[in-house]
Amino acid sequence: MQKAHLWNSDENAVRCLLCSHYCRIHEGRRGVCQVRKNVDGVLYSLNYGKLIASHIDPIEKKPLFHFLPGSQSYSIAMTGCNLRCSWCQNWEISQLSNSNDPDRLPFVAPDTVVKAAAKSGCKSISYTYTEPTIFYEYARDVSLLAREAGLRNVWVSNGYMTEEMLDEYLPLLDVINVDVKCFDGDVHRKYTGAKLHPILDNCIRLKKAGVWLEVTTLLIPGINDSREQVEGLASFIANELGTETPWHVSRYYPQPQFREIGPTDPGVIEDALITGRKAGLQFVYGGNLRRDEDTHCPSCGELLIGRSSLWMTVNKIEDCVCPKCGAKIAGIWE
Ligand code: SF4
């Protein structure tokens, strides 16, 4: 166990300040994420350094399409999550069980991760697969060392962290993909167990802080694919985050724990991409579709980056601009 960061005492309990649940945790109990525990009035992280996954991925897999395209990212995760999304694609590692109990996993020191990432030629370390907020202490320690080693820090997140956490971590964060799951607060609470508005507020906060932000939405039939929700989310991204913010709209495939809903019709994804373009978004991408993955110049339409199944096939961007018309292309390219 590692003493947790960002909490305070609250009468006969502790209050965790890491995510927007702000759990009040009594002696011997755990928070919603199940990996933070009150022991004798002190909050502990139970998953510090207990890697449940580490892989080298193409950055396109996160998905991040406007950040060092074609580069590899050393990707790590700990067990646990602060949300309970019924359709989670990583349910087996995001939800605590006997088989993924951190106590049963070996400890990996932060500098071991950074050395492995640097040695493998990765340009970044991604905190991903589960929710990095719930392994914040470890992510922060790795991030500090990553910066010293010249590596960028990438989060793939549900965006439910607190303002307190973001304020502290923003100087270390280079890039984030936030999974905005829907645009209806009741639907969000019903299927994830969390409120929607802190996530939208955090997207605005991240953008204002200058962190490179891309947004992902998994469209699930009957849950978040209504015209109101898709139009609402597209307008939010365009108006509040900026039309240069990439939006990845992904097709849902049934997961073992959520089989009652079938896969998303590809036409629904196409319609959502059209809605995004109508809202003014310059970069909308299809996910799990095997098409609509390429980047075109928003000024002249030139193909800039070609992709196939989340691998970059061509990159024509030079000095951050379109080689044909000279328009500046939003992103981090070098
Ligand atoms: S990280 Fe979130 S879910 Fe976990 S204990 Fe803290 S406030 Fe609760």
Side-chain angles (χ1 to χ4, degrees):
M1 292 196 303
Q2 172 93 0
K3 193 173 171 187
H5 198 54
L6 290 174
W7 62 278
N8 56 37
S9 298
D10 187 356
E11 296 182 5
N12 57 345
V14 299
R15 175 83 60 185
C16 179
L17 307 177
L18 211 47
C19 90
S20 295
H21 284 306
Y22 285 105
C23 294
R24 188 166 185 273
I25 308 170
H26 287 276
E27 170 64 33
R29 307 298 291 268
R30 300 180 183 203
V32 169
C33 59
Q34 295 297 310
V35 288
R36 296 170 81 76
K37 184 176 181 183
N38 177 348
V39 179
D40 295 332
V42 175
L43 187 64
Y44 285 90
S45 162
L46 305 181
N47 60 359
Y48 186 94
K50 301 300 189 81
L51 294 189
I52 187 76
S54 66
H55 300 287
I56 295 173
D57 290 333
I59 195 71
E60 285 77 9
K61 194 178 164 189
K62 299 299 135 195
L64 285 164
F65 282 9
H66 289 235
F67 169 69
L68 303 181
S71 68
Q72 304 268 295
S73 191
Y74 198 88
S75 305
I76 60 169
M78 321 286 138
T79 306
C81 190
N82 48 356
L83 269 58
R84 297 278 176 275
C85 310
S86 308
W87 50 80
C88 181
Q89 297 177 3
N90 289 326
W91 185 268
E92 287 180 0
I93 61 172
S94 71
Q95 306 301 316
L96 203 68
S97 68
N98 281 340
S99 63
N100 63 25
D101 189 330
D103 278 352
R104 300 169 65 156
L105 300 169
F107 173 76
V108 181
D111 67 332
T112 303
V113 168
V114 175
K115 281 178 189 157
K119 191 175 175 192
S120 60
C122 289
K123 297 272 192 263
S124 61
I125 295 180
S126 288
Y127 311 86
T128 179
Y129 306 134
T130 61
E131 172 50 42
T133 302
I134 57 87
F135 59 89
Y136 174 62
E137 290 84 0
Y138 190 75
R140 192 180 63 133
D141 287 351
V142 173
S143 297
L144 283 163
L145 296 173
R147 272 289 167 82
E148 288 172 13
L151 298 167
R152 312 281 182 98
N153 291 309
V154 173
W155 275 39
V156 181
S157 173
N158 58 35
Y160 205 57
M161 63 285 281
T162 57
E163 194 173 352
E164 292 91 329
M165 196 224 89
L166 265 189
D167 282 349
E168 182 179 271
Y169 186 66
L170 276 173
L172 291 172
L173 181 60
D174 296 289
V175 181
I176 189 166
N177 184 309
V178 176
D179 187 358
V180 181
K181 298 171 197 306
C182 66
F183 205 66
D184 180 309
D186 292 336
V187 172
H188 199 277
R189 188 186 282 274
K190 176 179 176 184
Y191 287 99
T192 72
K195 300 183 285 284
L196 174 63
H197 74 83
I199 296 165
L200 303 182
D201 292 347
N202 279 337
C203 286
I204 295 170
R205 202 169 278 132
L206 285 156
K207 196 75 186 191
K208 283 187 177 157
V211 175
W212 179 254
L213 167 69
E214 302 192 17
V215 173
T216 294
T217 304
L218 184 71
L219 276 194
I220 305 170
I223 291 182
N224 60 358
D225 61 344
S226 69
R227 178 180 292 271
E228 294 74 28
Q229 287 203 58
V230 173
E231 286 181 354
L233 183 47
S235 297
F236 168 78
I237 297 170
N239 298 329
E240 302 293 338
L241 308 181
T243 56
E244 76 287 357
T245 307
W247 187 29
H248 303 263
V249 186
S250 294
R251 191 178 179 208
Y252 170 75
Y253 285 95
Q255 298 300 307
Q257 79 281 1
F258 193 61
R259 288 208 171 278
E260 55 260 45
I261 294 180
T264 316
D265 186 317
V268 172
I269 304 296
E270 295 290 352
D271 287 348
L273 299 183
I274 292 168
T275 300
R277 289 187 196 105
K278 278 187 185 163
L281 293 176
Q282 298 172 20
F283 306 106
V284 290
Y285 299 106
N288 300 333
L289 264 190
R290 294 179 179 263
R291 60 176 187 270
D292 295 308
E293 296 178 311
D294 296 339
T295 300
H296 292 266
C297 174
S299 265
C300 70
E302 175 77 351
L303 172 69
L304 298 174
I305 304 175
R307 302 181 186 87
S308 176
S309 299
L310 299 180
W311 288 90
M312 188 189 78
T313 54
V314 62
N315 180 3
K316 299 184 191 169
I317 294 176
E318 293 170 5
D319 296 329
C320 310
V321 302
C322 169
K324 188 173 175 194
C325 73
K328 190 166 190 306
I329 309 300
I332 297 175
W333 307 112
E334 53 195 28

